[in-house]
Amino acid sequence: MMELKVTVEILGLDQLIKVLSAISAKPQVEIKKESLPIESDFQNVPVETNDPVLATPVQTSTLTYSMDDLAKAAVQLVDAGRMNELQQLLGRYGVQALPQLPPEQYGAFATDLRGLGAQI
């Protein structure tokens, strides 16, 4: 025989006893009368952390890049002998040359250039 013991503590819900009685052959329900404050505005609850990663503010502004910014970063890769990787990156964006890159893809392309080691 397997015994399952469940303790549930809910204040002000007499219906809980009826529900538990309906699903249990031998209900053993104990109600503790305690009052705990409930914080309803969780946005104002301070959170403390010693983790430097969690404590570091996150930049929320969006950086914008120009074609000149991308070209300077691409030249860094070419100078480092990584022309093949740059050409593969351009191919992933469906272009053969940097001027063909649509402006809405500049940010993602800059991130990928940075991933290849360019300073941008």
Side-chain angles (χ1 to χ4, degrees):
M1 181 172 155
M2 183 169 83
E3 182 178 333
L4 177 66
K5 184 174 183 178
V6 177
T7 303
V8 177
E9 187 175 331
I10 298 178
L11 302 175
L13 294 178
D14 293 331
Q15 291 289 38
L16 179 62
I17 295 173
K18 293 178 185 177
V19 171
L20 289 176
S21 297
I23 61 172
S24 173
K26 297 180 183 178
Q28 296 177 359
V29 178
E30 178 184 334
I31 298 177
K32 293 182 181 179
K33 304 253 183 209
E34 293 181 19
S35 177
L36 299 174
I38 298 175
E39 182 64 47
S40 62
D41 187 7
F42 293 106
Q43 293 178 353
N44 293 327
V45 176
V47 177
E48 294 182 21
T49 179
N50 292 329
D51 187 341
V53 173
L54 295 176
T56 304
V58 176
Q59 180 179 349
T60 58
S61 64
T62 303
L63 296 176
T64 56
Y65 299 94
S66 67
M67 177 57 68
D68 190 50
D69 295 330
L70 299 176
K72 288 177 183 177
V75 166
Q76 294 173 18
L77 295 176
V78 172
D79 290 346
R82 302 180 75 182
M83 181 66 172
N84 288 338
E85 292 174 75
L86 178 59
Q87 288 174 330
Q88 289 174 358
L89 179 60
L90 288 166
R92 286 193 298 232
Y93 283 84
V95 297
Q96 294 180 356
L98 195 54
Q100 297 171 336
L101 187 69
E104 59 270 9
Q105 292 184 332
Y106 286 6
F109 191 80
T111 300
D112 288 340
L113 286 173
R114 195 175 299 113
L116 292 175
Q119 299 296 313
I120 184 169

